[in-house]
Amino acid sequence: MSFTDAPPFDPARLLAGPRGGHVVALGIGYRSHGPDWCELELGYDRRLVSDATSGILASGPIVSLMDMATGMAVWARRGRFLPHVTLDLRLDYLRPARSGMAVIGRGECYRLTRRIAFVRGIAHDGDPEDPVAHAAGTYMLLDAPQ
Amino acid sequence: MTAVGLLPYADFLGISLEGERDGAPLLVMPFSEGLIGAPGRLHGGAIAGLLEIAAIAAIDATLEDGEPARSIFKPITVTVDFMRPGLLVATYACGEVVRVGGRIANVGVSAWQEDPARPIAAARMNLAIAQPRAD
């Protein structure tokens, strides 16, 4: 399959498809998407906490969630499931996620150049106006001209 | 340093203590199916998780025995740079504490597979060290 006939991007189908790996292990699921954004959900799981006493999720699963949500936003904006890799991703934690609550990750691709996709997003546990974290990052497009 | 295994998320990723390197804990994350992202590659989030755990372990190692450090660490910022694709083999990580103050710890950490001189990813973490609760 060449890059030009890659199928239209469908994040719901991608996540529901017969695949294993890290996303399935974490239990990340699809919520919704638009022309340049995608929203995913990470269910609360005690195996993912950083401290058994507080029950607060570790940072890593939220990084994974935001990496997935922003990566899917890039595919949504490009309209095709084309190869790319994360160059960098930064998360600013505004507050801990509440113990027992699912975390929702919303990623947006706000700028696309020939080689780089610029992304941002938020993670929240129910109220987008009261986020857990802000994310910012870049992706390198692997099908781009050298 | 045996406290590394107390972090449930470290167990979830299959991470264990391998030894030490330059005085800091050296962690290993053996390959497993649950770490796969794109076909044939480790998921960037799993690599970021290993970096985070190595960073916290490096801070833990600088503290006196018995200090309840992990429970009072809160990440403020995490910045991950990805340099090379993660292959489906064991990944190693080791943190380097830049500073542990009374309120904030700054740590750099890198992850590699075959060759420590060729990192696959690196991160900087700034963590708040909250005061232990009085109760």
Side-chain angles (χ1 to χ4, degrees):
Chain A
M1 184 176 73
S2 76
F3 293 141
T4 46
D5 24 277
F9 178 60
D10 180 348
R13 207 176 60 188
L14 183 70
L15 279 170
R19 63 197 304 270
H22 197 54
V23 173
V24 171
L26 286 172
I28 291 176
Y30 169 79
R31 276 175 64 95
S32 56
H33 78 287
D36 60 356
W37 60 272
C38 186
E39 204 170 271
L40 306 177
E41 181 169 324
L42 169 71
Y44 184 76
D45 185 336
R46 287 204 68 87
R47 294 176 302 159
L48 305 179
V49 304
S50 66
D51 171 52
T53 312
S54 66
I56 291 171
L57 285 180
S59 155
I62 298 175
V63 174
S64 292
L65 173 70
M66 295 314 296
D67 187 39
M68 283 300 295
T70 54
M72 290 206 166
V74 175
W75 286 320
R77 173 137 180 182
R78 302 185 82 196
R80 291 283 187 275
F81 186 43
L82 295 166
H84 63 216
V85 293
T86 316
L87 265 187
D88 78 310
L89 186 64
R90 171 187 166 114
L91 263 75
D92 293 336
Y93 288 94
L94 309 180
R95 63 172 177 82
R98 291 183 183 90
S99 176
M101 302 289 286
V103 179
I104 295 153
R106 185 189 171 99
E108 178 198 355
C109 177
Y110 68 92
R111 169 93 174 134
L112 189 65
T113 71
R114 282 194 311 154
R115 293 178 186 176
I116 303 292
F118 295 86
V119 298
R120 61 190 169 204
I122 61 164
H124 65 87
D125 53 10
D127 179 4
E129 300 300 312
D130 181 24
V132 167
H134 277 249
T138 53
Y139 285 80
M140 181 170 67
L141 310 180
L142 294 184
D143 62 317
Q146 291 298 305
Chain B
M1 280 198 237
T2 52
V4 168
L6 295 178
L7 184 60
Y9 176 55
D11 291 339
F12 176 83
L13 293 176
I15 291 169
S16 62
L17 185 62
E18 174 88 352
E20 67 173 58
R21 183 181 161 82
D22 301 329
L26 171 64
L27 302 190
V28 59
M29 180 170 75
F31 169 69
S32 68
E33 196 274 340
L35 304 178
I36 298 175
R41 290 213 306 257
L42 292 188
H43 195 280
I47 299 167
L50 171 65
L51 290 167
E52 171 198 3
I53 291 159
I56 292 175
I59 300 171
D60 265 1
T62 70
L63 300 174
E64 300 289 328
D65 285 348
E67 283 187 78
R70 178 172 304 108
S71 61
I72 55 176
F73 286 157
K74 284 188 188 141
I76 305 168
T77 65
V78 180
T79 311
V80 189
D81 292 315
F82 294 96
M83 288 85 135
R84 293 183 174 81
L87 307 176
L88 304 185
V89 299
T91 310
Y92 299 85
C94 190
E96 184 181 355
V97 175
V98 178
R99 179 172 185 269
V100 180
R103 297 176 181 182
I104 300 286
N106 314 100
V107 196
V109 56
S110 70
W112 68 91
Q113 293 185 319
E114 267 88 25
D115 181 358
R118 291 170 56 83
I120 62 165
R124 268 189 316 106
M125 286 189 80
N126 299 322
L127 301 110
I129 303 175
Q131 294 299 313
R133 281 163 40 177
D135 52 356

